[in-house]
Amino acid sequence: MSHGIPHAGPRELRQFGITTGAIVVLLFAGFFPWLLERPIPAWPLVTGAVLIAWGLLLPGSLGPVYRGWMSFGLVMGRITTPVLMTVIFVLVIIPVALVLRLLQKDPMCRKFDRDASSYRVAGSGVETGSMDKPY
């Protein structure tokens, strides 16, 4: 499935400039220096101020920066999603499956039973009218 970069008008580009500038300042001049106990560098303040001012004064000209940033985000999404899903599978799903197999548990009741007339599991006795007004 292919995702394109959404079209952004002046309003969206203004929001992009202000939001991106604020995030740069908060992360790189606030959070990371605090976390790493380092002095606050000047470049995030300058970069954030430029992005915020650019977004407020000339939002229409932020188009190339927006498209570049969104392209970068699409590429990173294509890389990080499979990596994260693989890590989750290896660190969560495989160990759970191995433990269940060692304990000979079958929570989905997948074992074949020649003597069973049906594999249907009876419901838990919920009233039929309980879904008439769920909220």
Side-chain angles (χ1 to χ4, degrees):
M1 177 159 40
S2 172
H3 296 286
I5 298 171
H7 173 72
R11 182 171 186 252
E12 290 84 9
L13 291 173
R14 179 176 292 115
Q15 287 178 335
F16 168 76
I18 293 169
T19 303
T20 306
I23 289 172
V24 166
V25 170
L26 290 174
L27 276 180
F28 296 104
F31 180 70
F32 288 138
W34 170 77
L35 181 69
L36 302 173
E37 297 178 357
R38 305 268 187 200
I40 296 173
W43 71 265
L45 301 172
V46 172
T47 305
V50 167
L51 282 169
I52 291 171
W54 197 356
L56 289 173
L57 300 175
L58 298 167
S61 64
L62 266 174
V65 176
Y66 171 79
R67 284 189 297 281
W69 183 253
M70 295 302 283
S71 297
F72 173 73
L74 288 173
V75 170
M76 289 306 296
R78 287 189 152 286
I79 293 170
T80 57
T81 300
V83 169
L84 286 175
M85 294 306 289
T86 302
V87 168
I88 289 169
F89 185 81
V90 169
L91 294 179
V92 176
I93 306 297
I94 291 176
V96 168
L98 291 174
V99 167
L100 288 174
R101 184 166 288 197
L102 284 173
L103 297 174
Q104 297 180 346
K105 300 287 183 181
D106 186 18
M108 292 176 52
C109 301
R110 295 173 296 163
K111 293 179 181 167
F112 183 70
D113 184 5
R114 291 186 189 275
D115 298 328
S117 61
S118 172
Y119 286 100
R120 183 180 180 280
V121 177
S124 61
V126 178
E127 297 177 19
T128 56
S130 66
M131 290 302 291
D132 288 345
K133 294 182 182 178
Y135 300 105

